[in-house]
Amino acid sequence: MKALASWPPQDRRQLIGVFTDIDDTLTTDGAITPDALQALTRLKAAGLHVIPITGRPIGWCEPFANGDPARAIAPWPVDAIVAENGAVAFATDHLCQISLQPPWNKRMKLSKLYQHSDAARASNFTRLQQVAAQVLHDVPGARLSQDSPGRKTDIAIDHSEFAHLPPDQIARVVAIMRAADMNASVSSIHINGWFGSHNKLEGARWIVRELFGRDLDAELDQWVYVGDSTNDQLMFQHFRHSVGVANILRFAAELTHHPRYITRSERGAGFAEVAHTILDAHG
């Protein structure tokens, strides 16, 4: 991993979009910080696409996509938010435009987009609950994530958000999921499991087709991905321009595919550093 300062200006100048993880990349201690929110705003104001893509549930993402006046949450200035590791997304006419965020108390009509049919999701949901029950029975200390009620296409076991699972127990959870023919991915806080071929990369390809009618692979050199954990490796592998915020160092020994660059700062401050570096090249 090279220092972010070594990212060539000509590579940064050609960027048209930013994909980013959310937990521990945009957020710090579970909340987006003013510097990270300002970074999103500045990227959008400069005309770049901005798309967070996360393992979090779609229900958890709604206040950030649409705003929540009761909690004084403004809509994030992004094109869409892709959730559940690429299975589902929120987008609106506003989110698809290159513009700044609306007034904090103005709610927008959201469109919820799914990669898979209603029938496939219903069938998978039953199987997901069966595997979840097995994990809770077989792995001492395993607990569903507190955001599980908002999940539509996957299950999540908490290992570092409100509970703690040691590495050997995390490995047992992953093994149970994969033995059930599920995909399994470990983020900085959760172990996610799902049925289907989607993942963060497929989700990125899908949302670019849905929103813009374009082929992400044909313009991959014009996008950057920012992340912080082992579940970002597929994105680090495929994106020529990839950045890890500094807290990725705690997973360095577990990574097969590393980001090309690394920030000095951690979490939201690291994302703000990435945005500043991009915008500095854009003039």
Side-chain angles (χ1 to χ4, degrees):
M1 294 181 282
K2 302 177 182 178
L4 186 63
S6 67
W7 192 3
Q10 62 270 25
D11 288 348
R12 290 178 271 141
R13 197 173 299 121
Q14 70 177 355
L15 293 178
I16 62 172
V18 179
F19 284 107
T20 178
D21 177 55
I22 293 180
D23 283 297
D24 293 323
T25 301
L26 271 179
T27 63
T28 303
D29 296 327
I32 191 165
T33 51
D35 56 347
L37 186 59
Q38 179 64 19
L40 293 176
T41 301
R42 292 182 63 217
L43 288 167
K44 287 295 293 174
L48 280 82
H49 299 303
V50 183
I51 303 176
I53 185 163
T54 179
R56 285 286 193 175
I58 192 66
W60 181 90
C61 296
E62 185 168 1
F64 309 114
N66 200 27
D68 186 345
R71 296 160 60 190
I73 297 175
W76 287 0
V78 297
D79 295 88
I81 300 178
V82 182
E84 302 183 27
N85 286 297
V88 55
F90 274 130
T92 72
D93 289 343
H94 163 73
L95 292 175
C96 295
Q97 295 170 356
I98 305 300
S99 59
L100 299 179
Q101 63 191 44
W104 68 269
N105 60 348
K106 182 178 181 181
R107 292 174 64 81
M108 311 298 292
K109 183 178 179 181
L110 291 177
S111 295
K112 190 184 294 184
L113 310 175
Y114 286 100
Q115 284 225 54
H116 306 293
S117 68
D118 292 349
R121 295 199 310 274
S123 174
N124 287 340
F125 186 81
T126 300
R127 298 164 66 200
L128 288 167
Q129 305 320 303
Q130 292 170 347
V131 177
Q134 181 184 351
V135 168
L136 299 183
H137 179 271
D138 292 354
V139 181
R143 291 165 46 183
L144 290 173
S145 64
Q146 289 193 14
D147 63 14
S148 289
R151 294 185 177 277
K152 303 297 183 183
T153 64
D154 73 350
I155 57 175
I157 304 298
D158 189 341
H159 71 75
S160 290
E161 187 175 28
F162 301 105
H164 175 73
L165 282 182
D168 61 325
Q169 298 295 72
I170 293 174
R172 285 189 66 188
V173 173
V174 170
I176 290 170
M177 290 177 173
R178 290 179 176 165
D181 293 326
M182 297 176 71
N183 289 293
S185 180
V186 182
S187 76
S188 61
I189 55 174
H190 295 160
I191 310 156
N192 297 89
W194 66 92
F195 294 103
S197 59
H198 62 272
N199 51 46
K200 282 191 172 184
L201 179 60
E202 290 303 321
R205 288 168 170 155
W206 165 66
I207 202 64
V208 168
R209 288 195 306 270
E210 289 290 318
L211 295 188
F212 313 123
R214 304 204 307 257
D215 178 3
L216 177 62
D217 290 323
E219 53 188 50
L220 207 57
D221 284 354
Q222 297 174 278
W223 291 76
V224 60
Y225 181 77
V226 189
D228 77 295
S229 187
T230 55
N231 73 331
D232 296 310
Q233 290 188 90
L234 187 62
M235 303 296 267
F236 295 153
Q237 178 186 4
H238 281 82
F239 281 74
R240 177 185 166 212
H241 307 300
S242 61
V243 182
V245 289
N247 42 296
I248 198 171
L249 289 173
R250 67 183 175 129
F251 296 108
E254 303 169 40
L255 295 175
T256 302
H257 301 286
H258 294 75
R260 178 162 292 194
Y261 304 103
I262 187 168
T263 64
R264 296 186 307 272
S265 304
E266 296 189 347
R267 300 176 170 85
F271 181 83
E273 189 180 327
V274 176
H276 175 79
T277 300
I278 293 170
L279 293 170
D280 182 63
H282 278 243

